[in-house]
C-alpha cells in the first residue's frame, strides 16, 4: 500500500492531477475492456431494437447500459431490480398525482417540491437510499413536463412508454452482464444484514433534513426560472440539481465538474456527428458504427475509478440525448446548446446553495473518516493478546484488516474532494489538511506493518515467543494503539511518549535473547517507530 504524500493540496477547477494521473486513470485492464465491450454491445442492441420497433425515448434506452452496469454481476442485478422497482412506483405515483395536478400548476408545483424533498430525505435516512431517490426524482421530473403535453391521454401513454423504454434497456443490460461478465474472484463476502431499514442517525441528525431542503430549493429555483423565461429546453438544470447532490459540498462540486466535463465531450461528439457524419449516413449500419465508437469512449471512462467514472456516464447521456430526437436523422443543434446551458445553470445554483446554506464540509467528513480508520487500526495493532486463542485472533484480525482498508479508502477519497472547497477556505483549514494528510500517511505505514503481523509466519513466531516476550510485546502494542487512536485529535500527551518509551525498553529487554532474524521483531519495532511520529 503506497502512502499518500503529505504535500499541500492546491485548489483547482479540475484538481485531478497531472497528465500522468490521467494516463493511470485511463490505463487499460482486461476487466475494463470486458465491461466496456458489454456496454457497447448493450447500447448498440438498444439502438437497433428501438429503431426497428419504433420504441419511444431511444436516448434514455441507449443510456441504460451505462447507468445500470456495475463491476460485478451481483451489483448490476441489484441495481437493475432496484431501478425497476423505483421506476414503477414513481410512475404509478405520478399518474395518481396527475389526477389532482394536471391543469393546476398551483397544485403541481408544490407536489413536485414535496416529492423532491421526500425523495432526497429518504435517500439519506433509508438503507436502500437510491430507491427513495429514484421514486422522488421520477415523480418530480414527470410532473415537470406535464404542462407540455396537450392531453391527459397522451401524457399517460408517454409515461407508460417511458417505463417500457427503460425496462427493456435495464433487462437487456442485466442479461448481458450475467452472460459475459466473469464471476468475482474468491468466495463471496458475507455482509452483515442491517438491523433496521434506517441509518443509525436517521431521525436525530438535522443534516438529513437540511440536505433535502437544499436540493429541493435548488431544483425548484431552476424549474421556476426556466419556466418563467419560457425556455423549457434547459430542463436539464433541474436534473442536474438532483443528480449531483451528495453528502458534502466538495463531493457535490466534484460530481458537478464531472457532469459538465462529460456533457461537453458528449455534446462535442454529437455535434461532430450531426454536422459531418449525419449527411452521409444512409443505413442503420452506419449509425451503429457511430454509436459503438461513442459508447466505447463513454464506457472506457465510466469503468474507471470513482474520481472519473461519472464523467463517462455523462458523455453517453449527452451524446444520446443530443443525437436521438426521433427515428429520422436530426440536424437541430439547439439540443446540444440547451443541454449545456441547463447543466451550467444547475451546477451554478447547486454549488452556491451547498456552499452557503447549511454547508457540509468535506474536511469535516475527512476528520470523521480518519478517526474511524485510526480506531480500527488501534484495535488491529493490539491483536493478539497473551490470553487470546490464535483462531479467534486470526478471525478478528482479518475482519479488521478489511474494514480498516475500506476506511483508508474513504479517507483518501475525501482528501481528493477537499480540493473543491478551498477557494474561499481560511488558511487554518489548509494547514489542518496538511496535518491530516501527514497523519494519514503515517497511519498507513503502521497499517502495512500491522497487516504483515497477521500472516501465517508472524502467527507462528508469536506462538514460539516466551511468555515474558509475549507480555512485553502486548504491552508495547497496547501503548502504541492508544497513541494511534488519539492521533487525529492531537491528544498525544507527554506521558504517552514516556509510556511508549518505557514499554519499548521493556520489550527490547525481553526479546534480547531472540534470534535477530525474527521477522516479527522487526515489524513490531517498525510499528513503534512509526507511532512515535503520529501527532
Amino acid at each position: 500500500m503506497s502512502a499518500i504524500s503529505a504535500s499541500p493540496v492546491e485548489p483547482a477547477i479540475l484538481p485531478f492531477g497531472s497528465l500522468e494521473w490521467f494516463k493511470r486513470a485511463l490505463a487499460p485492464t482486461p476487466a475494463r475492456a470486458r465491461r466496456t465491450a458489454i456496454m457497447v454491445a448493450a447500447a448498440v442492441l438498444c439502438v437497433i431494437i428501438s429503431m426497428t420497433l419504433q420504441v419511444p425515448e431511444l436516448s434514455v434506452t441507449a443510456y441504460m447500459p451505462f447507468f445500470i452496469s456495475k463491476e460485478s454481476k451481483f451489483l448490476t442485478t441489484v441495481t437493475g431490480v432496484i431501478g425497476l422497482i423505483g421506476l414503477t412506483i414513481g410512475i404509478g405515483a405520478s399518474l395518481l398525482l396527475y389526477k389532482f395536478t394536471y391543469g393546476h400548476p398551483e397544485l403541481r408545483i408544490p407536489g413536485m417540491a414535496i416529492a423532491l424533498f421526500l425523495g432526497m430525505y429518504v435517500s439519506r435516512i433509508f438503507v436502500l437510499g437510491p430507491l427513495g431517490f429514484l421514486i422522488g426524482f421520477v415523480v418530480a421530473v414527470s410532473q415537470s413536463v406535464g404542462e407540455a403535453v396537450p392531453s391527459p391521454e397522451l401524457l399517460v401513454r408517454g409515461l407508460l412508454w417511458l417505463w417500457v423504454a427503460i425496462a427493456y434497456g435495464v433487462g437487456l443490460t442485466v442479461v448481458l452482464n450475467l452472460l459475459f461478465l466473469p464471476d468475482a474472484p474468491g468466495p463471496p463476502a458475507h455482509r452483515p444484514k442491517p438491523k433496521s431499514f434506517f441509518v443509525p442517525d436517521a431521525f436525530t441528525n438535522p443534516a438529513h433534513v437540511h440536505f433535502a431542503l437544499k436540493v429541493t430549493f435548488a431544483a425548484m429555483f431552476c424549474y421556476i426560472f426556466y419556466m418563467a423565461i419560457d425556455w423549457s429546453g434547459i430542463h436539464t438544470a433541474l436534473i442536474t440539481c438532483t443528480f449531483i447532490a451528495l453528502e458534502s459540498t466538495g463531493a457535490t462540486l466534484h460530481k458537478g465538474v464531472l457532469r459538465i466535463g462529460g456533457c461537453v465531450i458528449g455534446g462535442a461528439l454529437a455535434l461532430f456527428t450531426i454536422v459531418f457524419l449525419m449527411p452521409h449516413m444512409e443505413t442503420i449500419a452506419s449509425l451503429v458504427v457511430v454509436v459503438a465508437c461513442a459508447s466505447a469512449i463513454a464506457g472506457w471512462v465510466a469503468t474507471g475509478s470513482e474520481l472519473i467514472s461519472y464523467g463517462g456516464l455523462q458523455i453517453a447521456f449527452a451524446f444520446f440525448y443530443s443525437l436521438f430526437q426521433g427515428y429520422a436523422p436530426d440536424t437541430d443543434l439547439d439540443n446540444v446548446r440547451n443541454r449545456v446551458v441547463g447543466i451550467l445553470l444547475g451546477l451554478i445554483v447547486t454549488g452556491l446553495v451547498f456552499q452557503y446554506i447549511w454547508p457540509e464540509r468535506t474536511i469535516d467528513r475527512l476528520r470523521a473518516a480518519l478517526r474511524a480508520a485510526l480506531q480500527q487500526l488501534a484495535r488491529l495493532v493490539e491483536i493478539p493478546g497473551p490470553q487470546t486463542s490464535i483462531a479467534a485472533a486470526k478471525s478478528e484480525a482479518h475482519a479488521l484488516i478489511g474494514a480498516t482498508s475500506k476506511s483508508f479508502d474513504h479517507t483518501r477519497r475525501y482528501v481528493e474532494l477537499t480540493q473543491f472547497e478551498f477557494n474561499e477556505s481560511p488558511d487554518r483549514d489548509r494547514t489542518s489538511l496538511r496535518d491530516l494528510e501527514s497523519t494519514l500517511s503515517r497511519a498507513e505505514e503502521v497499517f502495512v506493518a500491522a497487516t504483515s503481523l497477521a500472516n501465517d509466519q508472524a502467527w507462528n513466531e508469536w506462538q514460539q515467543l516466551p511468555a515474558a516476550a509475549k507480555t512485553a510485546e502486548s504491552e508495547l502494542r497496547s501503548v502504541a494503539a492508544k497513541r494511534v487512536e488519539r492521533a487525529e485529535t492531537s491528544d498525544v500527551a507527554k506521558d504517552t511518549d514516556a509510556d511508549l518509551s518505557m514499554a519499548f525498553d521493556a520489550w527490547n529487554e525481553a526479546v534480547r535473547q531472540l534470534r535477530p532474524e525474527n521477522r516479527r521483531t522487526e515489524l513490531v519495532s517498525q510499528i513503534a517507530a512509526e507511532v512515535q511520529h503520529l501527532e
Side-chain angles (χ1 to χ4, degrees), residues 13-29 32 35-36 39 63 66 70 246 251 253-263 265-266 296-317 413 416-417 419-420:
I13 298 301
L14 287 172
F16 299 117
S18 62
L19 180 61
E20 291 300 321
W21 186 94
F22 276 103
K23 288 181 179 179
R24 292 195 301 271
L26 298 175
T29 63
R32 190 173 201 171
R35 288 188 60 202
T36 301
M39 291 181 185
Y63 174 65
F66 303 88
K70 304 299 177 185
L246 290 175
L253 295 180
H254 166 252
K255 196 172 183 180
V257 170
L258 290 178
R259 183 170 173 83
I260 189 60
C263 170
I265 297 173
I297 296 173
W300 196 264
V301 178
T303 53
S305 69
E306 189 180 3
L307 286 175
I308 65 169
S309 59
Y310 187 70
L313 272 63
Q314 290 309 302
I315 293 174
F317 194 28
R413 175 175 177 267
E416 297 281 353
L417 295 178
Q419 301 174 61
F420 289 85

Side-chain angles (χ1 to χ4, degrees), residues 323-364:
L323 188 65
F324 295 123
Q325 298 299 320
Y327 307 111
D330 184 27
T331 57
D332 187 2
L333 302 181
D334 290 346
N335 293 316
V336 181
R337 177 203 63 194
N338 292 344
R339 177 169 176 78
V340 173
V341 172
I343 289 178
L344 280 174
L345 174 62
L347 178 58
I348 292 171
V349 172
T350 305
L352 291 174
V353 169
F354 273 69
Q355 184 74 18
Y356 296 107
I357 301 178
W358 295 311
E360 294 183 78
R361 303 179 60 216
T362 305
I363 195 167
D364 295 329

Side-chain angles (χ1 to χ4, degrees), residues 122-138:
V122 171
S123 73
R124 289 276 296 241
I125 69 169
F126 200 49
V127 172
L128 293 177
L131 179 61
F133 163 81
L134 187 59
I135 294 172
F137 172 77
V138 169

Side-chain angles (χ1 to χ4, degrees), residues 3-10 415 418-419 422 430-439 441:
I4 292 180
S5 171
S7 58
V9 179
E10 296 296 332
V415 169
T418 50
Q419 301 174 61
F422 282 158
R430 296 178 186 271
T431 304
S432 178
L433 177 59
R434 288 194 292 269
D435 293 341
L436 292 172
E437 285 188 282
S438 178
T439 300
S441 178

Side-chain angles (χ1 to χ4, degrees), residues 418-490:
T418 50
Q419 301 174 61
F420 289 85
E421 294 183 354
F422 282 158
N423 290 331
E424 298 183 4
S425 294
D427 290 338
R428 61 183 176 85
D429 280 347
R430 296 178 186 271
T431 304
S432 178
L433 177 59
R434 288 194 292 269
D435 293 341
L436 292 172
E437 285 188 282
S438 178
T439 300
L440 176 58
S441 178
R442 295 289 185 183
E444 285 190 316
E445 294 294 340
V446 176
F447 180 58
V448 171
T451 301
S452 298
L453 279 178
N455 62 30
D456 291 338
Q457 179 184 350
W459 291 120
N460 292 334
E461 291 171 348
W462 165 260
Q463 290 178 297
Q464 295 170 8
L465 287 176
K470 284 185 178 181
T471 301
E473 181 192 309
S474 181
E475 290 178 355
L476 174 59
R477 287 189 282 103
S478 179
V479 174
K482 292 178 181 177
R483 179 155 186 147
V484 168
E485 192 168 2
R486 297 177 183 177
E488 190 275 332
T489 61
S490 299

Side-chain angles (χ1 to χ4, degrees), residues 377-385 390 393-394 396-398 401 445-463 465 473-474 476-478 480 507 518-528 531:
L377 178 58
R379 291 166 54 197
L380 178 62
V381 168
E382 288 188 290
I383 298 173
I390 291 297
K394 282 185 176 181
E396 185 179 3
H398 290 161
I401 287 173
E445 294 294 340
V446 176
F447 180 58
V448 171
T451 301
S452 298
L453 279 178
N455 62 30
D456 291 338
Q457 179 184 350
W459 291 120
N460 292 334
E461 291 171 348
W462 165 260
Q463 290 178 297
L465 287 176
E473 181 192 309
S474 181
L476 174 59
R477 287 189 282 103
S478 179
W507 172 76
N518 190 312
R519 175 61 175 161
R520 184 175 189 89
T521 303
E522 297 176 7
L523 292 172
V524 173
S525 180
Q526 180 182 346
I527 289 175
V531 165

